[in-house]
Structures are given as structure tokens and as C-alpha cells.
């Protein structure tokens, strides 16, 4: 499922004083060491600066990456990740509420979760144990008729009986009473709770990435109190029942969120959170330059939806400031969709050799430089970015180490019947560095005899109204277009890259712009999801990557590194993969 929570803002903000975070997951590159130095101490209030508010505080609805920092503090997951400077360790699944990472049954269809002892809700009437029915309740809330979870689509067709449950739920009035009654009186057949400690999931087909999906807050348990309010309503937010080390003390929309300790939280039951700070206070409405000035002055500590700008980063690196670090997010920030449905040039883009010519024509290293250089970006060649199971640093169309091969591109164009080159239409987001990136691509393609006619599109319209409008593709309003994608969870997340973009089963998907489909890739993907080991699955997902790139539906260009920065009084700043930020529940304050 595509949510360019993701990419719309990521490119947009690059040119402003800060980059606004948009999506993804995280993996492995770091500059500077800002990690676990010194002896941890408890106390103090972590001061967070934000430009905007949270999208949701309801775990079932969260899909905006920065909000995972709050979820980490307030809502425990069945499975999660340890904060780490090591990119590989950072995306290794760890048990959170569960006692261990579950293994599939012999047929690959059943996963059993056992809840650990001592896990509790900070309920209004006092501490209460988290039980298996809370887990089932969370999944039921995913497809409520008022506002379904953005990530619910991954689960609805995968968990046995969930599709029919959600279909029936959609017919219920989107009001507190009817929704509560429905959830209390209906079950999902593929989620069994034989006792308070056990949850049994039965799937419709093998899915080796199902445990990774259980790290999403969308799959978090829900307390019974959640049914007393409309999902994520002001009343719900005010009465949020926490399972993590912190709870909401005060919340003023678009202004401030204050968290305090959740006295019901049992530290002995939590292997992933130390909860050193006494509280967390986030101030909203702060612009990028002002935020960086406050961090450097020590009047604030960390950022929420803001990151250092390229200019900031250049300055910080020149100063060898160790409080700066970077990490990959598993996505590809820039790749070029090729419109095989365009009628332009006699349907030239339906010709594989023309599409292959584009592969050789793009100077990817020039794009990386436009994005801020190797400190902020890197070249990609497939559909998966670094940190995704299935990613392999390979190059199916080798072109001078990413610099492009205009002669090879011209040769392929001539063989396709275009010895004098070709002219193509390319829209671009008119925001941030996107115009510069578009012009960089235009210049490199020109060397290969490919003229690009650039058309600016407002960033708010680019995905929502232009790219997802099928008529724009079939009428030839665009031939090639720069887009991006980030996965929805960590590590074993190849499904969340492949399925929304490169699969067509008869029903158009919003972000598969030309209804691309590969039977070969689909078969390999099914085998990858049925694989019994991560190693086997990873090898098969890489073959999926190869199968897609054989057809050349896209030109993969570059990934973007996510920079982080913190104040001098912050210690133990270790990245948490889901939030692409330092783990607020494990850092401490030295002053």
C-alpha cells in the first residue's frame, strides 16, 4: 500500500532550511559517533522541537514516520527493534511484548505469540495486565468504518477471516456505540486467544515477513478503554491509555505535547526501553534554522519532523561535530518511472531498447551530487534500497560507475529506430531541490540524444492528482517522471516496496502508474514469502528485483541519507529504526 507520507515531503524539504521527514525505514550508514558514551543517568525533561503536529496518536492509525518516536514511548508492540548505531543490528527483530520472535508452523500458515509476564496498561483504575484479547482488539480496530488504518491493507487479506470481518464492519455506523458493540460481538477467525497469554494467527498464505509486520504500531494491542471513543478523536488522545514508559500529560494541538512517566510501566518486563528521562516535551511551529540554533545553544535537545539542511550539514562536518549522524531509510528517493502507455513518439517507450537506453543515459552520480553529495545520498540500481532484505549492490545496466554511458544509450536508440534521438515529456515537483534534480537528469539525457521537456507541477498535486491520474499516462501528458518510495517497516519489508508498485492483478493500484506486472517476479515473490529462512527469502527477493529490472519499467537513481542532530547535553543517542531518529526512551541528559 502506498502512502507517500513518504516521498512528497522528503524531496520538498530538501531545499528549505530543513528537510521534512516523510517515510521509510532504516538501515546502515553513519557519519560521526553520537552514541552510547558515559554512564546513563535518570532525570530531566527531553525538549523536542517540531515544525508540525503528529498525524495520529492512535497506534492503529499511525503511518507518519516521526510519530513512531511517540509510539516508542507510549505504546509497546508485539515485536520491535533495539536502538543501535549498527545498521544490521538496528533492523533485527526483537521481542517486545512477546517472549520471543515467533516461527511459522510447518505449513507456514500459523504464528503463535506468547505475551511476557509483567506487561501492563496504565489504565484509569490502575495498573492492569495486557492480555491476548487486547491484541485481538487492536487488529479489529484497524478497519473501523470511521477511519481505517493506513497500513491495514497488509493484514486484511493475509489474516484468515479478517477480510470478511472488515467487510461486515464497514456496514456499521461510524459511531462509538455501534462500533464498540460490533468489536465486542465479532471475532476475526484467524486470530485466536485460547488464554490470556497466547495469540494464534492463522494466515491465508505463507508470509515470511509477517513477524516483521508485527513490529508496526498498527498491530499494537488496544485497551478496552479505546472503544469508548472515536478513533484518534480529541477525547481519545486526552484519555490515551499507555503501555509504554510514558503517558500524555498535556496536549495542545499544533502547539505542544507533554509526556510524563507512566507509573504502571514495569521496567523489568521491557527489554528495549530504559526510560532515563523523566518527561518529554515537544514544542511545535518551529522553523528549521531556529530549531538548529536552539539545539546548538542547548535550549532544546532533539528534532521531530525536522532535520539539518544540506548547508547545516556542510558546516557541521567542517567542524567535525560528532553530534551529527546519518542513516539510510531503506527507500529510494529518486527513481524514474517510464510510461509504457504513452502514445508519444509512436509508443516508443513500449520498446524495451528505448527503456534500456534511458538506463544508460542517466548520470546518477550527478544526481547524488545535486542531492548534497555522498554525505547525504548514494547511487541505486534496483527496486530495493539499502537495508531491505533482498537489496544487493548490483548493477544490471553498468554505466561507468553510475556516471552514465551516452554512447551505449545512443546505440540502443538507433537500434530501436531513433538514430536522431527522441524527445520526452517529464513533469517534476516544483519544490525544494526537485527542479535542480530534474535539470540534472535533463542535462545527462541530452548527452545521449534524449531531449526532456520539463513541466513543473505543484508538490501537493504531483502524486495526488497528476501521477495517479491514469488519463495523464494514457494521453501522453508524461513520458518519464521522477518519484520515490520508502518501505513501511524494517528489514523484511520487500513486500511493501514490490506489491504496491510492481504488481497488477486487474485492479489499478495508485502508485503502479502504468499497471506494470511481471508473472516471473510475482512467482518469485510468492516463493520469497513462503521461504523458511531469511537468507533464502533475501535471495529470492533479489531475484524479484532482477526480474523487474529486466523489463526496465523504472530507472533506479539514488537513495537519500537521513541526517540527525542533537544538543550537547544528550548522551546515548542511538537510532531507532522505525522513527529514523534517536531513541527517546534510551537516551539521557547530562545536564
Amino acid at each position: 500500500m502506498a502512502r507517500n507520507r513518504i516521498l512528497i515531503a522528503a524531496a520538498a524539504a530538501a531545499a528549505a532550511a530543513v528537510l521534512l521527514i516523510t517515510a521509510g525505514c532504516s538501515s546502515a550508514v553513519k557519519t560521526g559517533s553520537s552514541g552510547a558514551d558515559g554512564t546513563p543517568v535518570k532525570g530531566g525533561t527531553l525538549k523536542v522541537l517540531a515544525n508540525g503536529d503528529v498525524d495520529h496518536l492512535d497506534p492503529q492509525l499511525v503511518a507518519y514516520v516521526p510519530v513512531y518516536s511517540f509510539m516508542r514511548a507510549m505504546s509497546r508492540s508485539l515485536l520491535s527493534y533495539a536502538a543501535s548505531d549498527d545498521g544490521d543490528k538496528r533492523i533485527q527483530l526483537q521481542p517486545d511484548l512477546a517472549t520471543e520472535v515467533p516461527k511459522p508452523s510447518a505449513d507456514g500458515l500459523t504464528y503463535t505469540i506468547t505475551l511476557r509476564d509483567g506487561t501492563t496498561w496504565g489504565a484509569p483504575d490502575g495498573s492492569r495486565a495486557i492480555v491476548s484479547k487486547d491484541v485481538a482488539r487492536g487488529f479489529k480496530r484497524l478497519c473501523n468504518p470511521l477511519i481505517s488504518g493506513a497500513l491495514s491493507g497488509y493484514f486484511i487479506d493475509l489474516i484468515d477471516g479478517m477480510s470478511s470481518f472488515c467487510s461486515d464492519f464497514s456496514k456499521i455506523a461510524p459511531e462509538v456505540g455501534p462500533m464498540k458493540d460490533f468489536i465486542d460481538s465479532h471475532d476475526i477467525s484467524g486470530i485466536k486467544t485460547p488464554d490470556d497469554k497466547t495469540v494464534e494467527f492463522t494466515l491465508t498464505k505463507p508470509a515470511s515477513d509477517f513477524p516483521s509486520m508485527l513490529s508496526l504500531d498498527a498491530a499494537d494491542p488496544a485497551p478496552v478503554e479505546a472503544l469508548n471513543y472515536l478513533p484518534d478523536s480529541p477525547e481519545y488522545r486526552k484519555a490515551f491509555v499507555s503501555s509504554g514508559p510514558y503517558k500524555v500529560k498535556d496536549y495542545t494541538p499544533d502547539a505542544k505535547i507533554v509526556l510524563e512517566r507512566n507509573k504502571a510501566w514495569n521496567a523489568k518486563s521491557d527489554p528495549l526501553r530504559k526510560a532515563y528521562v523523566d518527561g518529554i516535551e515537544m514544542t511545535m511551529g518551529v522553523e528549521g534554522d531556529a530549531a538548529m540554533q536552539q539545539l546548538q545553544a542547548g535550549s532544546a535537545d532533539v528534532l521531530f519532523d525536522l532535520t539539518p539542511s544540506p548547508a547545516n550539514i556542510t558546516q557541521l562536518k567542517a567542524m567535525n561535530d560528532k553530534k551529527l549522524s546519518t542513516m539510510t531509510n531503506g527507500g529510494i528517493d529518486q527513481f524514474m518511472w517510464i510510461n509504457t502507455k504513452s502514445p508519444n513518439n509512436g509508443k516508443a517507450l513500449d520498446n524495451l531498447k528505448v527503456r534500456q537506453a534511458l538506463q544508460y543515459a542517466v548520470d546518477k552520480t550527478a544526481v547524488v551530487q545535486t542531492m548534497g553529495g555522498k554525505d547525504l545520498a548514494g547511487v541505486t540500481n534496483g527496486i530495493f534500497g539499502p537495508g531491505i532484505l533482498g537489496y544487493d549492490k548490483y548493477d544490471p545496466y553498468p554505466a561507468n560507475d553510475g556516471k552514465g554511458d551516452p554512447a551505449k544509450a545512443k546505440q540502443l536508440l538507433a537500434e530501436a529506430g531513433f538514430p536522431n534521438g527522441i524527445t520526452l515529456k517529464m513533469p517534476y515537483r516544483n519544490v525544494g531541490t526537485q527542479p535542480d534534480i530534474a535539470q540534472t537528469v535533463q542535462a545527462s539525457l541530452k548527452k545521449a540524444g534524449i531531449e526532456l521537456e520539463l513541466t513543473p507541477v505543484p508538490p501537493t498535486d504531483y502524486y495526488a492528482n497528476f501521477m495517479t491520474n491514469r488519463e495523464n499516462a494514457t494521453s501522453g501528458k508524461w513520458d518519464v517522471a521522477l518519484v520515490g518510495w520508502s518501505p513501511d517497516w524494517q528489514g523484511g519489508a520487500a513486500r511493501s516496496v514490490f506489491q504496491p508498485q510492481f504488481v497488477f492483478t486487474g485492479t489499478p493500484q495508485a502508485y503502479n502508474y502504468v499497471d506494470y506486472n511481471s508473472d516471473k517476479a510475482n512467482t518469485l515473490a510468492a516463493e520469497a514469502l513462503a521461504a523458511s529462512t531469511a537468507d533464502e527469502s533475501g535471495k529470492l527477493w533479489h531475484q524479484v528485483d532482477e526480474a523487474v529490472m529486466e523489463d526496465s519499467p523504472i530507472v533506479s537513481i539514488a537513495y537519500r541519507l537521513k541526517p540527525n542532530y542533537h544538543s550537547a547535553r544528550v548522551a546515548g543517542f542511538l537510532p531507532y529504526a522505525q522513527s529514523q531518529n534517536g531513541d527517546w526512551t534510551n537516551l539521557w541528559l547530562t545536564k
Side-chain angles (χ1 to χ4, degrees), residues 424-485:
L424 303 175
K425 298 177 181 179
M426 189 176 88
Y428 66 91
R429 286 164 282 174
N430 192 22
V431 66
T433 57
Q434 286 304 125
D436 296 331
I437 292 171
Q439 290 169 18
T440 300
V441 172
Q442 181 186 47
S444 64
L445 264 60
K446 185 178 180 66
K447 296 176 184 177
I450 302 170
E451 295 286 345
L452 286 187
E453 295 178 350
L454 301 182
T455 302
V457 178
T460 53
D461 291 336
Y462 190 77
Y463 288 105
N465 299 317
F466 189 88
M467 290 301 299
T468 54
N469 184 333
R470 284 299 194 277
E471 186 177 340
N472 287 342
T474 57
S475 66
K477 287 189 177 180
W478 66 277
D479 294 307
V480 293
L482 295 174
V483 298
W485 192 267

Side-chain angles (χ1 to χ4, degrees), residues 251-299:
Y251 173 47
T252 304
D254 300 313
K256 181 169 287 190
I257 300 179
V258 179
L259 305 186
E260 63 182 355
R261 288 193 182 277
N262 172 20
K263 294 180 180 179
W265 175 70
N266 179 359
K268 292 181 180 179
S269 77
D270 194 332
L272 299 176
R273 303 164 185 82
K274 298 299 183 183
Y276 293 119
V277 299
D278 287 336
I280 300 170
E281 180 180 297
M282 186 171 88
T283 302
M284 306 171 211
V286 183
E287 298 298 332
D289 283 342
M292 287 299 294
Q293 288 169 8
Q294 289 188 55
L295 262 60
Q296 291 178 305
S299 57

Side-chain angles (χ1 to χ4, degrees), residues 347-359:
K347 296 186 177 181
L349 295 178
D350 198 35
N351 187 318
L352 178 60
K353 287 191 175 182
V354 175
R355 300 198 300 275
Q356 290 174 335
L358 289 167
Q359 300 283 355

Side-chain angles (χ1 to χ4, degrees), residues 181-387:
D181 291 344
F182 183 87
I183 287 177
D184 286 340
S185 61
H186 292 74
D187 292 321
I188 299 171
S189 60
I191 303 178
K192 302 292 187 185
T193 55
D195 57 55
D196 283 351
K197 291 288 186 182
T198 307
V199 186
E200 295 177 353
F201 294 96
T202 300
L203 309 183
T204 58
K205 52 192 172 186
S208 59
D209 56 356
F210 184 68
S212 296
M213 294 164 63
L214 295 180
S215 71
L216 290 167
D217 285 296
D220 288 0
V224 65
E225 290 85 358
L227 302 187
N228 295 331
Y229 311 97
L230 292 175
D232 204 38
S233 62
E235 295 78 15
Y236 172 92
R237 293 186 179 193
K238 183 177 180 180
F240 187 95
V241 177
S242 174
S243 59
Y246 301 96
K247 65 178 183 177
V248 176
K249 177 183 179 181
D250 184 47
Y251 173 47
T252 304
D254 300 313
K256 181 169 287 190
I257 300 179
V258 179
L259 305 186
E260 63 182 355
R261 288 193 182 277
N262 172 20
K263 294 180 180 179
W265 175 70
N266 179 359
K268 292 181 180 179
S269 77
D270 194 332
L272 299 176
R273 303 164 185 82
K274 298 299 183 183
Y276 293 119
V277 299
D278 287 336
I280 300 170
E281 180 180 297
M282 186 171 88
T283 302
M284 306 171 211
V286 183
E287 298 298 332
D289 283 342
M292 287 299 294
Q293 288 169 8
Q294 289 188 55
L295 262 60
Q296 291 178 305
S299 57
D301 300 309
V302 295
L303 304 171
F304 173 65
D305 59 350
L306 304 168
T307 64
S309 70
N312 293 148
I313 291 168
T314 298
Q315 181 184 36
L316 294 171
K317 288 186 69 66
M319 297 166 58
N320 195 29
D321 192 328
K322 300 300 184 181
K323 300 185 293 299
L324 172 70
S325 61
T326 61
M327 58 192 295
T328 59
N329 72 356
I332 297 177
D333 188 78
Q334 301 290 328
F335 63 90
M336 179 191 289
W337 261 104
I338 303 173
N339 183 7
T340 53
K341 292 192 172 185
S342 172
N344 299 332
N345 300 294
K347 296 186 177 181
L349 295 178
D350 198 35
N351 187 318
L352 178 60
K353 287 191 175 182
V354 175
R355 300 198 300 275
Q356 290 174 335
L358 289 167
Q359 300 283 355
Y360 290 100
V362 176
D363 184 343
K364 301 179 183 182
T365 62
V367 174
V368 167
Q369 194 60 36
T370 303
M371 292 167 66
K374 293 182 180 179
D375 291 333
L376 293 177
V379 166
T380 56
N381 296 306
I383 68 172
F384 301 130

Side-chain angles (χ1 to χ4, degrees), residues 59-144:
Q60 267 69 55
L61 305 182
V62 169
Y64 182 44
V65 168
V67 180
Y68 287 125
S69 287
F70 278 101
M71 292 298 102
R72 178 74 155 182
M74 299 192 300
S75 183
R76 293 184 61 182
S77 303
L78 295 174
L79 303 173
S80 191
Y81 305 90
S84 176
D85 271 339
D86 185 303
D88 292 329
K89 292 181 180 178
R90 193 162 59 235
I91 58 174
Q92 289 178 2
L93 271 179
Q94 304 289 335
D96 189 352
L97 289 172
T99 58
E100 62 182 358
V101 177
K103 291 181 171 56
S105 57
D107 62 3
L109 296 178
T110 302
Y111 287 86
T112 301
I113 291 282
T114 301
L115 298 177
R116 67 173 73 239
D117 295 333
T119 61
T120 52
W121 294 110
D125 55 354
S127 177
R128 183 179 71 239
I130 297 172
V131 298
S132 58
K133 289 189 182 300
D134 297 329
V135 177
R137 187 179 300 111
F139 278 90
K140 293 179 186 180
R141 292 184 74 244
L142 264 177
C143 59
N144 74 82

Side-chain angles (χ1 to χ4, degrees), residues 409-574:
K410 288 180 177 180
Q411 175 191 333
L412 287 164
L413 285 175
E415 291 174 4
F418 297 93
N420 298 317
I422 192 171
T423 298
L424 303 175
K425 298 177 181 179
M426 189 176 88
Y428 66 91
R429 286 164 282 174
N430 192 22
V431 66
T433 57
Q434 286 304 125
D436 296 331
I437 292 171
Q439 290 169 18
T440 300
V441 172
Q442 181 186 47
S444 64
L445 264 60
K446 185 178 180 66
K447 296 176 184 177
I450 302 170
E451 295 286 345
L452 286 187
E453 295 178 350
L454 301 182
T455 302
V457 178
T460 53
D461 291 336
Y462 190 77
Y463 288 105
N465 299 317
F466 189 88
M467 290 301 299
T468 54
N469 184 333
R470 284 299 194 277
E471 186 177 340
N472 287 342
T474 57
S475 66
K477 287 189 177 180
W478 66 277
D479 294 307
V480 293
L482 295 174
V483 298
W485 192 267
S486 290
D488 289 316
W489 59 89
Q490 309 307 308
R495 175 208 294 264
S496 72
V497 175
F498 173 70
Q499 180 179 307
Q501 299 184 97
F502 303 107
V503 176
F504 178 68
T505 58
T507 301
Q509 297 198 88
Y511 299 97
N512 182 349
Y513 305 109
V514 298
D515 299 333
Y516 170 80
N517 191 69
S518 164
D519 290 339
K520 178 180 179 180
N522 293 342
T523 299
L524 288 165
E527 292 176 8
L529 291 170
S532 58
T533 67
D535 184 61
E536 179 186 0
S537 178
K539 290 178 180 178
L540 286 164
W541 278 119
H542 177 60
Q543 292 177 43
V544 171
D545 192 332
E546 292 178 317
V548 172
M549 292 307 295
E550 283 175 7
D551 293 335
S552 190
I554 66 164
V555 178
S556 182
I557 300 174
Y559 65 86
R560 188 187 297 274
L561 295 173
K562 163 62 167 52
N564 287 308
Y565 190 70
H566 60 80
S567 72
R569 74 169 189 153
V570 170
F573 186 96
L574 296 173

